[in-house]
Amino acid sequence: MMNKEAAIRMDEQDPLKIYRDEFYVKKGQYYLDGNSLGLLSKRAEKAVLSLLDSWKEYGIDGWTKGDNPWYYLSEKLGEMCAPLIGAKAEEVILTGSTTANLHQLLATFYKPQGKRVKILADELNFPTDLYAISSHLAVHNYDASYMKLVKSEDGHLLQEEAIIEAMTEEVAMVILPGVLYRSGQVLDIEKLTKAAHERDILIGFDLCHSIGSVPHELHNSGVDFAFWCNYKHLNGGPGSVAGIFVHEKHFGTRPGLAGWFGSDKSKQFDLSIEMTPADTAGAYQIGTPHILSLAPIYGSLEMFREVGIEAIRKKSLQLTQFFMDCIDQELAPFGFTLGNPKDKTRGGHIYLVHEEAARICSALKEAGVTPDFRAPNGIRLAPVALYNSFTDVWETVQILKDIMENEIYKKFENKRGVVA
Ligand SMILES: *Cc1c(COP(=O)(O)O)cnc(C)c1O
């Protein structure tokens, strides 16, 4: 039986409960959108202020002086990020944006040859990835038919067997999400990587919805490359700098989009006409790093280092299980269906499907819950391990019940906002 007392008990027993106070969580509000934009933490705020101080104090010398010299910050944060994805420190660099990083990786690793020319992706992937892939095909004078999209049977989930079946002789590269952005399905990276490599295909993953929520073993799985943003589960702030993983077996591959910040750091200021790329993932940086947008990630990653991704995943699974149990018990008459996998292949959020989703989201917002609407009929709700509680989940379901029972959603238009 789910009830408020059960939620309170689970909160009391939660070993991560102390971290809620590390974040700016507003009283009386239920923030369940950490998979779109994570909340600000006090440590991230402190890291930004400390960085501003180093600018104030050192001016140009901030590149090499102070607690965190800017010249090495991207590498330093890559090292701090590495345990979250099972990578070696030198395989990770924080740089660019998700989409720009995918462009870099396509420019570097997409080398169509003979019959092997197509790029395999899936129709449920976040569109920016597909736009980037299409543009690289166009650079090589290939039309849209060279992007092969695996279809979903139910519009929510992908069948791994279907993906593997699509890895044919004409495929040069596969790009897939680690966790699907709508349904939250976790793909089996190890299995898919093995299948791709058995067929001589390169494979890369978009980890936007998995990093900081679901552990990965990228190095041991032999994944060729990966990319992600740091403003979702990693709480790096709006537009924070993104990340790249390149497996060490590819070190030395010349960057497709070269720039001086990809240089071997000891040679960069030789300012030679010939570039000497770093022999790490750092080679895939382009220009001067966005230092002010790197700073908050530093504070945030400190907490991930203390807690460890396994403990975060454990609590996240408990939160989403409790969420689904509460929904079953409290919302059965109201026509919701769950679009996320119910088993352990679910990621950090649940995905409620309802034909009135847009209006229900507006009603939730008015009642103090921050959900995430995804057209045409999806409501994403992410209870985040570091700052959400079981009580947040219980109260959200009660608010949802009230909205449905009393048809409060009918006050609103069934239309999405500009950003939704
Ligand atoms: C959020 C997200 C992006 C965002 O890309 P940006 O370049 O940061 O705007 C890309 N891919 C996926 C799967 C995402 O969830």
Side-chain angles (χ1 to χ4, degrees):
M1 181 71 187
M2 310 307 131
N3 52 37
K4 190 163 181 170
E5 289 65 43
I8 292 171
R9 212 175 323 114
M10 289 165 90
D11 282 334
E12 282 166 0
Q13 291 164 359
D14 169 17
L16 303 190
K17 65 181 172 213
I18 52 166
Y19 284 92
R20 186 175 170 93
D21 278 344
E22 294 264 5
F23 287 85
Y24 288 99
V25 179
K26 284 207 167 161
K27 282 247 158 0
Q29 300 230 335
Y30 305 102
Y31 191 82
L32 296 174
D33 204 4
N35 62 335
S36 271
L37 182 74
L39 289 180
L40 173 65
S41 65
K42 294 170 187 167
R43 289 199 225 187
E45 180 182 44
K46 195 170 144 237
V48 174
L49 294 174
S50 142
L51 205 126
L52 287 172
D53 265 344
S54 71
W55 180 15
K56 210 187 277 174
E57 180 69 20
Y58 301 113
I60 184 77
D61 289 333
W63 285 102
T64 50
K65 285 196 171 147
D67 293 340
N68 285 300
W70 313 332
Y71 192 50
Y72 304 102
L73 194 55
S74 309
E75 283 77 8
K76 161 111 194 183
L77 292 175
E79 183 185 335
M80 288 173 79
C81 217
L84 298 179
I85 52 174
K88 295 189 177 184
E90 60 276 19
E91 290 175 322
V92 185
I93 190 76
L94 293 204
T95 185
S97 71
T98 316
T99 312
N101 290 349
L102 174 54
H103 277 293
Q104 169 67 294
L105 293 161
L106 286 164
T108 303
F109 294 108
Y110 174 55
K111 292 172 180 163
Q113 257 166 359
K115 258 177 81 178
R116 245 184 225 294
V117 289
K118 293 194 178 177
I119 299 179
L120 179 64
D122 68 274
E123 66 170 5
L124 300 181
N125 202 345
F126 197 75
T128 199
D129 291 14
L130 305 182
Y131 303 163
I133 293 169
S134 303
S135 72
H136 284 262
L137 291 170
V139 166
H140 289 272
N141 283 324
Y142 297 133
D143 64 27
S145 69
Y146 286 75
M147 182 164 71
K148 196 169 164 181
L149 292 182
V150 178
K151 297 230 174 318
S152 159
E153 278 172 20
D154 64 356
H156 297 304
L157 306 178
L158 293 173
Q159 274 68 45
E160 276 149 3
E161 293 318 316
I163 300 173
I164 293 171
E165 220 169 274
M167 295 179 184
T168 55
E169 283 182 350
E170 35 178 10
V171 174
M173 177 183 272
V174 184
I175 310 270
L176 293 167
V179 165
L180 273 64
Y181 80 102
R182 283 169 194 266
S183 69
Q185 179 188 9
V186 179
L187 292 183
D188 187 336
I189 289 183
E190 190 178 351
K191 175 173 159 188
L192 292 164
T193 301
K194 187 160 172 281
H197 289 169
E198 280 167 4
R199 293 159 180 78
D200 283 330
I201 301 171
L202 289 178
I203 188 162
F205 289 89
D206 178 336
L207 305 183
C208 281
H209 275 276
S210 57
I211 192 160
S213 159
V214 176
H216 293 302
E217 284 295 335
L218 297 188
H219 178 84
N220 288 341
S221 306
V223 170
D224 294 291
F225 59 82
F227 53 99
W228 60 89
C229 59
N230 289 312
Y231 50 77
K232 294 174 182 169
H233 288 281
L234 283 186
N235 315 314
S240 62
V241 173
I244 287 182
F245 161 89
V246 172
H247 197 282
E248 67 178 356
K249 67 191 166 192
H250 294 301
F251 287 178
T253 304
R254 306 261 331 165
L257 306 174
W260 74 312
F261 260 84
S263 298
D264 176 330
K265 289 202 121 52
S266 68
K267 304 221 167 82
Q268 181 174 338
F269 275 84
D270 291 349
L271 300 174
S272 151
I273 284 173
E274 284 275 321
M275 180 186 179
T276 308
D279 57 1
T280 62
Y284 307 100
Q285 298 171 87
I286 301 176
T288 304
H290 301 171
I291 298 294
L292 292 178
S293 302
L294 277 169
I297 309 172
Y298 184 87
S300 181
L301 282 176
E302 266 185 5
M303 278 180 283
F304 281 87
R305 188 159 62 180
E306 277 170 24
V307 176
I309 188 66
E310 298 297 337
I312 286 172
R313 175 64 169 159
K314 187 171 170 211
K315 178 174 171 190
S316 164
L317 283 169
Q318 288 168 345
L319 282 165
T320 47
Q321 186 62 55
F322 184 63
F323 218 144
M324 293 190 295
D325 292 344
C326 291
I327 288 167
D328 272 353
Q329 180 184 293
E330 303 287 306
L331 301 179
F334 304 115
F336 290 101
T337 52
L338 275 176
N340 58 280
K342 294 186 187 66
D343 62 13
K344 295 283 167 71
T345 66
R346 66 182 186 275
H349 67 267
I350 62 161
Y351 190 61
L352 270 181
V353 179
H354 196 286
E355 58 181 9
E356 298 286 1
R359 298 161 94 180
I360 294 169
C361 281
S362 301
L364 279 170
K365 280 214 151 169
E366 192 186 62
V369 177
T370 306
D372 193 19
F373 173 66
R374 279 295 167 262
N377 57 4
I379 305 171
R380 293 191 305 191
L381 297 162
V384 172
L386 284 180
Y387 54 77
N388 284 122
S389 63
F390 293 90
T391 306
D392 287 348
V393 170
W394 173 257
E395 295 300 343
T396 296
V397 173
Q398 293 312 304
I399 290 169
L400 209 42
K401 190 175 173 182
D402 180 48
I403 289 169
M404 301 314 291
E405 261 174 3
N406 297 307
E407 300 189 343
I408 297 169
Y409 64 89
K410 289 194 173 162
K411 280 192 350 202
F412 300 89
E413 267 188 284
N414 203 11
K415 200 170 132 224
R416 69 168 171 83
V418 179
V419 175

